[in-house]
Amino acid sequence: MLVAACALMAWSAPAQDAHVCPCGAHPPGPPKDRVVTPYAGEPADMSPYAKFAAPYDYNYIHPNIYSGAGRDAPEPKDLKEVRIGFFGPIEHNPDQAFGLRMLHGAQLAVDEWNASGGYGGKPFRLMLHNDYDNWQAKAVYGEDRPTDPTIWGSASNEAVKMVYDDQDWAIFGSISSESTHIAIRVALRAEIPVVNSASTDPTIPETYIPWYFTDLQDDRVQCYTLARRIFTELGLKRVAILRVNNRYGRFGVLKLRDASRRLGHPIVIEQKFMPGDMDFARALKVIQSSRADAIVLWADEAPTAGILKQMRALGLKQRVFGAYRTLGPELLAQAGEAAEGFEAVFPYDPTRNDPKWIGFQQRFEVQFHEPAEQFAALAYDAMNALLESICKAGLNRARIHDALANIDSYDGVTGHMVFDPNQKNVAPMYLATVHQGAISYRLMPLEKQSAQPQAGSAAATPLPYARVGEEGVSYAGPGRGQDQSDEVRVVLFGPHAAELAQSAEVQSALSVAGGGKDWKLLAIDSKQNWGAASTQLVQRLMNEHPVAIVALDRDAAHLSEQLALKVFVPVIAMSDDKTLTSTNVPWIFRMPAETRVSAAIQMLRIAVGQGGANPDRLREVLASGTALGGVAFRSTGEPIIP
């Protein structure tokens, strides 16, 4: 059974700096109201609805100031030690290695403060609590029982123990966002600071609970940084996601999906794998069939290494990017040459020659006999910020909160940090690149970088933050092979499709469409149960391989457009809704709503005669601007009006 408290470790080497504790002689007041915009450094081109309207109010740009009576609580006089609850996965947990590294970073900071006198001669002490210590199943499984992150009772039980049994002055942890969410809800009731260095869930500080502080950039900043690199710097358009199927992966990619959509290139496919899986062939083959030109991974180092090696074995050559937990020495050791060119975001530059950083690495390796990686380094900085705040504020939880909330910036061993009013680090991240077995780092700003005008030249015209269709829309994927040899099949999808397909006018158009091949309409009526209609449409597209879809109204066109992105088939949309052609989808071609089905068939007949009964070449003809029976389209799919 885990010992409840961590013994103080002897530390003979000198600390990084001599810490002097004022023991609350001049406690800080409540944080001042301040406004920091945009929230989390969100770039304008990735901001929701920025193209259409300005919101009347913004969330999370002001501090959430604690206004309770806790500041008036007297400081206890009979304490022999100052306790801090440590909450992390340190045994019987898949993340145990990360939790122990986090513990070591925090413990080193505590040891160094104690070597300088602690809190007025009283030592700081970490009280250890294991995350997901599944106490509910103890009677069945005994001490060595399974742990399950879906059982939240354990997290809340440990948080309550830290507050009321241990009488801790703050809680440090955890890695799991589920447990951290539970801890801050206990903190809201018990009025105790929660300091974090490892959870990236952006919804934690967005609960408006004022007791939370973190020195790690969250998934929002990570996703925006990746989006800037992938879509703006590299100009990639078809991006897939492969992620672990847990809360870390599920919440991690949300803002990347949002950013990709706002930049005009929605994620083409998202595949998942279960924690512990190491066979990724099926997911990679699905991504390969989607014709993605880049893959973003949301996982840890070991599965990332496995994915990279299996990609090379399958012949996949897409560029690969990852979240910060994908990167580290374990990746290089396991992936080898397969990691070449891999890029990931990272919270700091571990290769810099900063004396503070180098000294920390040396001290950490001497004490724990391993290099300090991100979980250890960020925990060290966060613990130092907490201990400094305790010494400034005195032994009063509310005043400790004030001291943490008054940190606008902080210089730790990992570098310079910038904190927003939600008490989270929003400093720009670094882009790490693997090349020839080594990792290099460069600062990656969120804002779009534009070329500066040369000296003496006129000021450059400001560039628009996004373009949708102004530079044309194209398809860069591989071809679909040979033409349909037997007959030309076209899906007719919309209200009363079956009746229209059998009408004399449409049958007459089909009889002259031939060109040496039979033409067949696959009619699907949309005025039925919508699930049944969409299922029939998918079955027709996957089983009968039509060369095109003729969508009879706006609703049918929007659904057809979404499926066209997956199966690469042109859609002739008979609708006046211009939003159909506003999202850079290369497979949509809009005709006026009053267009007759026979006219659409005639136009397709001419296009097939020029390009063949092949969806890819048919799309090229439609997007070429060539007049087809009096109809021509721009590359965006909008009709050319004479």
Side-chain angles (χ1 to χ4, degrees):
M1 189 66 180
L2 184 71
V3 178
C6 180
L8 297 176
M9 300 181 190
W11 178 242
S12 57
Q16 178 187 8
D17 294 304
H19 301 293
V20 178
C21 182
C23 300
H26 303 286
K32 296 180 180 179
D33 189 21
R34 61 188 178 113
V35 179
V36 177
T37 57
Y39 170 53
E42 184 176 66
D45 54 346
M46 301 184 204
S47 180
Y49 308 110
K51 292 195 301 180
F52 311 109
Y56 65 86
D57 194 16
Y58 291 91
N59 292 322
Y60 313 123
I61 62 173
H62 293 271
N64 186 17
I65 300 173
Y66 166 70
S67 57
R71 298 180 182 91
D72 297 329
E75 182 168 325
K77 302 298 183 184
D78 56 350
L79 291 182
K80 295 182 179 180
E81 60 189 8
V82 178
R83 295 179 174 182
I84 298 169
F86 181 92
F87 187 36
I90 48 181
E91 68 171 7
H92 303 305
N93 192 297
D95 289 338
Q96 177 177 332
F98 302 147
L100 289 174
R101 293 167 185 169
M102 184 174 76
L103 172 60
H104 291 161
Q107 186 64 56
L108 179 58
V110 168
D111 291 345
E112 292 178 352
W113 275 83
N114 286 338
S116 297
Y119 182 86
K122 300 180 181 69
F124 293 104
R125 187 177 186 182
L126 292 183
M127 309 297 291
L128 303 193
H129 292 262
N130 188 41
D131 194 359
Y132 295 140
D133 182 14
N134 191 357
W135 57 270
Q136 289 98 331
K138 181 177 179 179
V140 178
Y141 297 103
E143 296 293 347
D144 191 19
R145 54 197 181 278
T147 58
D148 185 352
T150 62
I151 299 180
W152 283 20
S154 172
S156 58
N157 188 60
E158 296 303 315
V160 169
K161 287 179 182 178
M162 285 184 274
V163 173
Y164 298 106
D165 294 349
D166 296 347
Q167 294 290 305
D168 295 328
W169 294 99
I171 296 173
F172 191 95
S174 177
I175 294 175
S176 158
S177 64
E178 296 101 319
S179 296
T180 307
H181 264 292
I182 289 295
I184 63 172
R185 281 155 176 81
V186 174
L188 181 63
R189 174 64 180 85
E191 298 187 347
I192 184 172
V194 176
V195 174
N196 190 281
S197 65
S199 181
T200 57
D201 185 343
T203 67
I204 297 172
E206 292 171 1
T207 55
Y208 276 119
I209 293 175
W211 297 93
Y212 183 73
F213 177 94
T214 180
D215 69 344
L216 173 61
Q217 298 95 326
D218 64 17
D219 292 326
R220 182 187 295 270
V221 180
Q222 291 191 59
C223 287
Y224 289 161
T225 305
L226 285 170
R228 181 62 72 217
R229 171 61 175 163
I230 294 168
F231 298 109
T232 305
E233 285 194 355
L234 298 177
L236 301 175
K237 297 178 179 179
R238 296 186 58 80
V239 177
I241 290 174
L242 179 55
R243 66 167 177 84
V244 62
N245 192 21
N246 58 16
R247 187 182 176 95
Y248 163 62
R250 185 170 65 254
F251 276 72
V253 301
L254 289 178
K255 297 306 174 184
L256 180 62
R257 292 209 302 260
D258 289 344
S260 67
R261 186 175 62 253
R262 292 162 191 163
L263 292 173
H265 305 291
I267 298 297
V268 296
I269 196 167
E270 181 175 330
Q271 289 291 292
K272 302 176 283 291
F273 61 90
M274 295 302 296
D277 286 354
M278 291 304 292
D279 183 359
F280 310 102
R282 178 187 174 279
L284 290 172
K285 289 177 181 178
V286 172
I287 290 174
Q288 186 177 31
S289 69
S290 74
R291 305 178 188 181
D293 49 24
I295 303 174
V296 175
L297 306 181
W298 223 270
D300 291 322
E301 291 179 58
T304 299
I307 291 168
L308 293 174
K309 289 193 293 185
Q310 291 174 40
M311 282 184 63
R312 301 302 178 255
L314 291 170
L316 275 70
K317 300 183 183 300
Q318 289 91 341
R319 300 189 72 147
V320 188
F321 305 85
Y324 96 101
R325 282 174 59 167
T326 61
L327 196 70
E330 190 175 347
L331 171 73
L332 297 181
Q334 295 188 21
E337 295 181 357
E340 180 67 24
F342 177 70
E343 298 179 46
V345 290
F346 207 73
Y348 59 92
D349 178 5
T351 63
R352 69 190 192 284
N353 293 320
D354 178 6
K356 183 185 292 188
W357 168 248
I358 293 174
F360 161 71
Q361 288 182 301
Q362 293 171 345
R363 299 192 307 277
F364 186 91
E365 191 158 0
V366 167
Q367 184 159 342
F368 299 106
H369 311 293
E370 66 175 356
E373 47 71 85
Q374 59 261 41
F375 284 95
L378 290 164
Y380 178 84
D381 276 345
M383 181 57 74
N384 270 308
L386 172 59
L387 297 178
E388 289 175 17
S389 297
I390 292 174
C391 282
K392 288 179 182 178
L395 296 182
N396 178 294
R397 290 171 177 170
R399 294 187 184 277
I400 295 170
H401 154 74
D402 289 344
L404 289 166
N406 275 295
I407 299 176
D408 295 340
S409 62
Y410 188 84
D411 291 305
V413 297
T414 58
H416 185 67
M417 307 177 196
V418 178
F419 292 88
D420 71 359
N422 304 280
Q423 299 159 222
K424 66 177 182 179
N425 183 13
V426 293
M429 301 193 76
Y430 286 80
L431 183 73
T433 304
V434 178
H435 180 57
Q436 296 181 351
I439 306 175
S440 61
Y441 299 81
R442 69 176 176 90
L443 195 63
M444 185 70 196
L446 285 180
E447 290 299 332
K448 180 185 291 188
Q449 304 298 300
S450 58
Q452 298 296 320
Q454 296 181 355
S457 66
T461 302
L463 294 175
Y465 71 84
R467 295 180 182 275
V468 181
E470 292 94 331
E471 299 172 352
V473 179
S474 61
Y475 170 64
R480 286 280 298 276
Q482 299 180 350
D483 296 357
Q484 293 182 3
S485 58
D486 50 352
E487 63 182 1
V488 179
R489 294 178 287 277
V490 176
V491 169
L492 187 65
F493 180 49
H496 313 295
E499 297 176 20
L500 288 169
Q502 296 301 320
S503 67
E505 180 182 349
V506 171
Q507 288 296 316
S508 175
L510 289 174
S511 65
V512 300
K517 296 184 178 183
D518 294 332
W519 280 61
K520 180 180 180 181
L521 284 184
L522 308 174
I524 303 172
D525 194 338
S526 65
K527 294 299 184 182
Q528 57 178 314
N529 179 282
W530 190 245
S534 58
T535 298
Q536 291 175 26
L537 180 57
V538 169
Q539 290 174 343
R540 293 287 196 179
L541 291 173
M542 302 304 293
N543 297 334
E544 303 200 41
H545 309 292
V547 297
I549 304 171
V550 176
L552 299 175
D553 66 359
R554 175 184 179 278
D555 293 343
H558 273 285
L559 178 59
S560 300
E561 182 179 30
Q562 299 303 311
L563 293 175
L565 278 170
K566 305 295 184 184
V567 297
F568 312 112
V569 170
V571 176
I572 309 303
M574 297 161 63
S575 171
D576 293 329
D577 184 0
K578 294 184 178 181
T579 64
L580 287 162
T581 56
S582 67
T583 55
N584 285 1
V585 174
W587 299 96
I588 189 80
F589 299 90
R590 191 180 66 81
M591 300 180 74
E594 64 272 13
T595 303
R596 304 188 69 80
V597 175
S598 57
I601 297 295
Q602 181 184 11
M603 183 272 297
L604 284 174
R605 174 184 63 81
I606 298 172
V608 169
Q610 294 185 14
N614 178 287
D616 299 328
R617 293 200 296 274
L618 176 59
R619 194 211 72 81
E620 291 176 4
V621 173
L622 293 170
S624 67
T626 303
L628 305 168
V631 180
F633 301 96
R634 304 183 190 279
S635 65
T636 61
E638 272 294 288
I640 298 175
I641 307 299

